[in-house]
Amino acid sequence: MRIIKALGAAIGGILLLCAPLIFNSGACFEGGESYTFFCGHDSSDCRVVKTYGNAALAKLTLADVCGESTEYERLDVQAFLDEVNGRAVFTEKLSDSLNYYCTADLPYSVELYGTEINLHICIKQSGVTVASPIIFGGY
């Protein structure tokens, strides 16, 4: 009987350690300076949760994640698009930024101008923000 209890405890411990892989809770992006999760059902009711630690671990504690974002000091956009199997659908140039709206192998999406978009890259002089599906709120 002790062996069965010990085996059960060992299996439970292994499952707990593997929970991020089992539930596919990994973060969309790596290496950013900070990480933001958007929680809710869409951009109108989003709750913004920012973390500076382990994004994948933080994601495990959140419900209703509908988007993710991170910031980089600089980014090679083409190399990044290659990493996520992405391509730019359209761009938008503003007075202080250049924005790429893309399709990519990422889990979240929105429809913009009749096209499914799931990656937004915003390049500013101060840095680069990437988000899936888009950057919610101001950028």
Side-chain angles (χ1 to χ4, degrees):
M1 191 62 153
R2 286 184 188 167
I3 293 174
I4 293 174
K5 286 183 181 179
L7 185 59
I11 290 171
I14 291 169
L15 289 175
L16 185 62
L17 290 173
C18 295
L21 298 173
I22 293 168
F23 296 109
N24 193 24
S25 63
C28 289
F29 310 111
E30 294 180 7
E33 317 227 345
S34 65
Y35 209 91
T36 303
F37 292 99
F38 304 105
C39 301
H41 299 289
D42 55 40
S43 63
S44 65
D45 75 345
C46 264
R47 179 172 60 96
V48 175
V49 178
K50 196 164 209 149
T51 182
Y52 296 90
N54 184 327
L57 185 59
K59 187 176 179 181
L60 284 174
T61 67
L62 301 172
D64 297 327
V65 175
C66 65
E68 302 179 30
S69 174
T70 194
E71 300 164 4
Y72 300 99
E73 190 173 312
R74 56 183 142 280
L75 181 72
D76 179 334
V77 173
Q78 189 55 56
F80 181 79
L81 286 172
D82 291 344
E83 272 182 41
V84 295
N85 194 27
R87 73 173 177 81
V89 175
F90 62 92
T91 60
E92 174 183 56
K93 185 161 178 53
L94 303 175
S95 63
D96 67 341
S97 63
L98 176 61
N99 293 273
Y100 293 88
Y101 295 87
C102 312
T103 60
D105 290 340
L106 294 167
Y108 313 102
S109 65
V110 295
E111 187 175 309
L112 291 178
Y113 309 115
T115 303
E116 185 176 295
I117 298 296
N118 58 4
L119 174 62
H120 179 183
I121 302 170
C122 176
I123 302 171
K124 290 185 168 186
Q125 196 168 28
S126 60
V128 181
T129 302
V130 298
S132 180
I134 60 172
I135 303 166
F136 294 125
Y139 57 92

